[in-house]
C-alpha cells in the first residue's frame, strides 16, 4: 500500500479525550521524499461548504459555516497541478516511510479539513485526507514530513478565516472579493465560481484559492495567483452569492 493516511479515533473514549497528545496505536501515514521533486508554487484551495454541498456534493452531517480546506496543491509554472504520486512515473522516486499521526492532529483535521460528504464520519474524512496526501502532499516540500504538510495547511486556513470575512447571503462582484482578500492577506486570490445545482440560476462563490511560494507555504510566503477567477465566471464584474 502506498501513500495512505489511516486514522482511527474512538470519539467516545474518555481517556483519549483527556490525553490529546496520545499517539494512536494503529494510526499511520505513509510518506516519501525526493529532493529533486520540482514544482513552481503552491495553490491552497478553501471551499465554501454551503456552495460545495449545493452545487456538486451530496453532503451529510453538519455543514460548516466557515471556509474549510479542499487541498494544498503543488503547481507547475503553467499553473497545472503536479501529477499525482504513483509507483511508476511519479513526482518522487523514493520508498514510502511509516509515520504516526498524533491524536490531536486528527481532531484539528476534522474541523479544518473535513470531508463534506459526511462531516461526522472519520472514515470518509480519513479517505479524503489519504487522497489529498497521495495526489499532492507526497509531491510537495513535505514529502518526508507528512505531519508538517497537514499542519501547514491547517495554519494557512486558520490564519485566513481569522483575517477574512464575507456576509452570508450577500452578492459580491468578483473584483470586490479579490480586493477584500488581498487587503486581508496581501495576495491576489483565484475565485472559483459555480452555478447552483442543475447549472441554472445565480452564480455562487465555490472556492477561494491562495498561492504561496515553494518552500514557504506560510502567511508570509503568499504571492499573487496567476488568474483571478475560474469556473463559470467570465469577468471580474460577475456577481457571486455567498450561500
Amino acid at each position: 500500500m502506498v501513500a495512505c493516511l489511516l486514522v482511527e479515533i474512538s470519539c467516545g473514549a474518555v481517556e483519549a479525550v483527556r490525553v490529546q497528545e496520545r499517539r494512536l496505536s494503529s494510526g499511520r501515514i505513509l510518506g516519501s521524499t525526493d529532493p529533486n521533486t520540482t514544482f513552481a508554487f503552491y495553490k491552497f484551495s478553501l471551499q465554501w461548504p454551503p456552495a460545495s454541498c449545493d452545487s456538486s456534493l451530496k453532503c451529510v452531517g453538519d455543514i460548516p459555516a466557515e471556509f474549510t480546506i479542499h487541498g494544498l496543491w503543488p503547481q507547475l509554472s503553467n499553473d497545472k497541478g503536479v501529477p499525482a504520486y504513483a509507483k511508476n512515473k511519479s513526482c518522487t522516486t523514493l520508498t514510502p516511510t511509516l509515520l504516526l499521526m498524533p491524536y490531536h492532529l486528527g481532531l484539528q483535521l476534522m474541523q479544518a479539513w473535513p470531508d463534506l460528504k459526511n462531516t461526522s464520519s472519520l472514515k470518509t474524512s480519513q479517505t479524503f485526507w489519504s487522497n489529498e496526501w497521495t495526489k499532492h502532499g507526497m509531491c510537495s516540500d513535505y514529502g518526508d514530513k507528512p505531519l508538517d504538510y497537514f499542519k501547514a495547511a491547517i495554519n494557512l486556513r486558520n490564519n485566513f478565516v481569522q483575517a477574512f470575512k464575507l456576509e452570508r447571503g450577500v452578492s459580491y462582484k468578483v473584483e470586490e472579493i479579490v480586493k477584500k482578500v488581498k487587503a486581508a492577506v496581501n495576495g491576489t486570490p483565484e475565485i472559483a465560481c459555480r452555478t447552483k445545482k442543475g447549472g441554472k440560476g445565480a452564480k455562487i462563490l465555490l472556492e477561494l484559492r491562495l498561492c504561496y511560494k515553494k518552500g514557504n507555504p506560510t502567511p508570509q510566503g503568499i504571492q499573487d495567483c496567476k488568474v483571478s477567477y475560474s469556473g463559470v465566471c467570465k469577468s471580474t464584474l460577475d456577481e457571486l452569492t455567498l450561500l
Side-chain angles (χ1 to χ4, degrees), residues 45-48 70 73 190-192 205-209:
S45 187
L46 290 156
Q47 59 191 349
W48 182 246
H70 183 183
W73 307 326
E190 174 186 333
I191 308 300
L205 173 60
L206 180 66
E207 295 187 357
L208 290 171
R209 296 167 184 164

Side-chain angles (χ1 to χ4, degrees), residues 26-47:
S26 58
R28 57 194 184 276
I29 301 175
L30 295 176
S32 67
T33 181
D34 185 345
N36 296 318
T37 296
T38 58
F39 62 96
F41 66 97
Y42 286 101
K43 184 171 286 187
F44 181 56
S45 187
L46 290 156
Q47 59 191 349

Side-chain angles (χ1 to χ4, degrees), residues 57 60 68 72 89 96 106 118 126 146 165 176 183-184 206 224-225:
L57 298 177
V60 176
T68 61
L72 178 59
K89 195 179 179 181
N118 193 337
Q126 71 184 24
K165 302 290 181 185
E176 291 179 299
L206 180 66
D224 291 341
C225 290

Side-chain angles (χ1 to χ4, degrees), residues 119-194:
T119 58
S120 62
S121 170
L122 177 61
K123 183 178 180 180
T124 58
S125 288
Q126 71 184 24
T127 300
F128 179 48
W129 303 331
S130 176
N131 290 339
E132 289 298 307
W133 172 250
T134 302
K135 292 179 181 178
H136 309 293
M138 293 185 70
C139 301
S140 73
D141 290 310
Y142 300 104
D144 60 342
K145 298 176 182 177
L147 300 187
D148 288 346
Y149 171 78
F150 287 106
K151 288 176 183 177
I154 291 171
N155 180 55
L156 290 177
R157 181 261 181 187
N158 290 346
N159 178 77
F160 180 79
V161 297
Q162 290 171 10
F164 177 79
K165 302 290 181 185
L166 289 176
E167 188 175 348
R168 287 184 288 172
V170 174
S171 294
Y172 299 88
K173 291 180 180 179
V174 171
E175 64 181 7
E176 291 179 299
I177 300 175
V178 169
K179 288 178 182 178
K180 288 178 180 291
V181 172
K182 187 159 188 176
V185 298
N186 202 33
T188 301
E190 174 186 333
I191 308 300
C193 316
R194 215 178 161 129

Side-chain angles (χ1 to χ4, degrees), residues 86-105:
K87 288 183 179 179
N88 301 313
K89 195 179 179 181
S90 169
C91 64
T92 185
T93 59
L94 302 186
T95 305
T97 304
L98 186 65
L99 297 171
L100 294 177
M101 167 174 270
Y103 171 79
H104 75 280
L105 184 57

